[in-house]
Amino acid sequence: IRIATPIMKGCDPDKYRKLTEVDPDPILAQHMRDETLFLKETSRPVIRTYIDLGAGAGRTFPILSKLSAETIAIEIDPVMLRSLRKRAKGFSKIRIIEGDITELDTLLKKTTISNPILLLLQNTLGTLKGDWRAALSAMKNVASENKGQIIVSLFKQEALRTWGLRLYEHNKKMSGETDLLKTNLEKGIFMSQTGYV
C-alpha cells in the first residue's frame, strides 16, 4: 500500500497546466509568484539540489532549472509522471524519480546530494492520500542527514473561507465539485466529491 500518494481524481496534466499556468485563479497565481520569489531568495541556490516532491506537471522546472545545481522531481502518479518526463526534456539539470515521498531514504539512496532543499509546494501536502506526517518525517530525515532545508507551502485555514472555495470552484475540472457535507471551514478542510482533500 502506498501511503502518501498525491491524489487528484481524474488528474490530467494538460488541465492541471491550464489551471495553474495558463488560466490560474488570481490569488493562486499570486501564491505561486510568492513561492517563486521565496525560492529565489534561498541562500546559494546555484550549489544546491532542489527536490520537488509531488512534482506534478513540472510547474517548477522553468525556475529551478535556472536556479539550482540540479533538480530532482519525485512523482508517483503514472499519468503525471509521463507528462513530467516529457516536460523535463526541455530543461537542463532535471532528474525524474518515480516513487512515494514517504520512502525518500530509499528513493535517494544511490543519489549524492548536498545541502538539498526539499520542496512541498502549492498545497501538495493537502493532497496526500494517507499519513502526511510520514511524508514530513521522511523529508526531515533527508534534510537532517544531508544538511538541507525544507520548504512547505500551504494555504491557511482562513484562506479556505475567504477565497479557497472560489479557487476550488475555478479548479473543479481537476478537483471535482465541493462536498459540502465533508468540507469543514472551521477546521480548514476542503473535500471534493471525488475525494480531493
Side-chain angles (χ1 to χ4, degrees):
I1 296 174
R2 292 184 169 173
I3 297 173
T5 307
I7 181 168
M8 195 180 300
K9 306 268 190 216
C11 191
D12 177 290
D14 294 328
K15 285 181 187 175
Y16 178 82
R17 270 195 222 100
K18 183 177 185 314
L19 292 170
T20 60
E21 297 177 38
V22 178
D23 183 29
D25 170 85
I27 295 175
L28 177 62
Q30 182 61 52
H31 178 82
M32 292 184 296
R33 284 191 296 273
D34 291 345
E35 285 179 336
T36 299
L37 288 173
F38 194 81
L39 292 176
K40 287 180 177 179
E41 292 174 1
T42 56
S43 64
R44 301 177 1 184
V46 75
I47 64 165
R48 305 187 78 155
T49 299
Y50 285 74
I51 304 172
D52 189 358
L53 304 164
R59 177 181 67 87
T60 62
F61 288 177
I63 183 67
L64 294 181
S65 67
K66 295 175 187 171
L67 189 65
S68 67
E70 177 184 33
T71 297
I72 298 171
I74 299 177
E75 180 59 56
I76 196 168
D77 182 277
V79 175
M80 295 302 269
L81 192 62
R82 282 190 298 276
S83 179
L84 192 65
R85 285 187 171 127
K86 188 185 295 183
R87 189 167 192 187
K89 292 177 183 176
F91 297 95
S92 62
K93 305 180 285 183
I94 305 279
R95 186 170 8 146
I96 309 295
I97 297 177
E98 178 180 6
D100 188 326
I101 63 177
T102 62
E103 300 169 3
L104 276 178
D105 289 333
T106 303
L107 295 174
L108 299 173
K109 194 172 196 168
K110 297 178 182 178
T111 304
T112 303
I113 53 174
S114 180
N115 302 314
I117 297 181
L118 291 94
L119 306 172
L120 202 56
L121 300 177
Q122 198 189 46
N123 215 37
T124 298
L125 184 63
T127 66
L128 297 179
K129 179 183 178 183
D131 188 1
W132 54 270
R133 291 172 194 88
L136 292 179
S137 179
M139 292 171 68
K140 181 181 176 185
N141 290 343
V142 169
S144 295
E145 291 170 10
N146 297 285
K147 298 181 177 146
Q149 295 176 313
I150 296 171
I151 297 174
V152 178
S153 173
L154 296 170
F155 303 148
K156 290 174 59 176
Q157 172 184 346
E158 296 83 4
L160 180 61
R161 183 184 305 279
T162 58
W163 67 269
L165 291 177
R166 190 186 79 219
L167 166 73
Y168 291 117
E169 178 64 24
H170 179 83
N171 292 349
K172 69 182 173 186
K173 289 181 182 176
M174 284 296 297
S175 58
E177 295 284 342
T178 303
D179 186 329
L180 296 174
L181 296 175
K182 294 181 180 175
T183 293
N184 186 327
L185 296 175
E186 297 305 314
K187 292 185 177 180
I189 298 170
F190 170 85
M191 184 174 281
S192 75
Q193 293 175 3
T194 60
Y196 178 84
V197 181

